[in-house]
Amino acid sequence: MAQSKYSRPCPAPTAVPRSTERLHLSRLAAALTGYGVWARIIEDSAPFLRVSNPDSHCAIEDVACERRTRDHVFIASSGVYMGNSDSITLTAKKIAWLVGTIDR
């Protein structure tokens, strides 16, 4: 397979301290690997998942995990609801579409 002129080497994985939000972000990151994206947890005041398309310098999305009454939800950096912790597979597909690694 030919390598895109935009391809970059994959960043090293980040160690993930234990918390419920980090656990759900880790599960989402694992589900995203099948879509050819890079996903790594960024430690900040609240952890978030940085998802990027390795073939594009612009297709990057930060996904937060927020606790709700019954579950956790994933929110894109634009504030758009992407899914919940009970629908990891569907959420991963939506995020992969968002960064352009799959067609609808």
Side-chain angles (χ1 to χ4, degrees), residues 2 5 7 15 18 28 30 41 44 67 75 78 88 93 95 100:
K5 66 179 182 177
S7 291
R18 293 180 185 221
L28 181 58
I41 295 175
D44 202 2
R67 187 181 312 257
I75 307 292
S78 60
I88 296 285
K93 186 174 181 177
I95 294 169

Side-chain angles (χ1 to χ4, degrees), residues 4-23:
S4 168
K5 66 179 182 177
Y6 297 110
S7 291
R8 302 168 291 187
C10 185
T14 305
V16 183
R18 293 180 185 221
S19 82
T20 307
E21 289 78 11
R22 287 177 182 88
L23 171 67

Side-chain angles (χ1 to χ4, degrees), residues 60-71:
I60 300 169
E61 186 61 44
D62 292 339
V63 180
C65 181
E66 297 179 0
R67 187 181 312 257
R68 296 294 161 91
T69 304
R70 295 184 199 143
D71 58 6

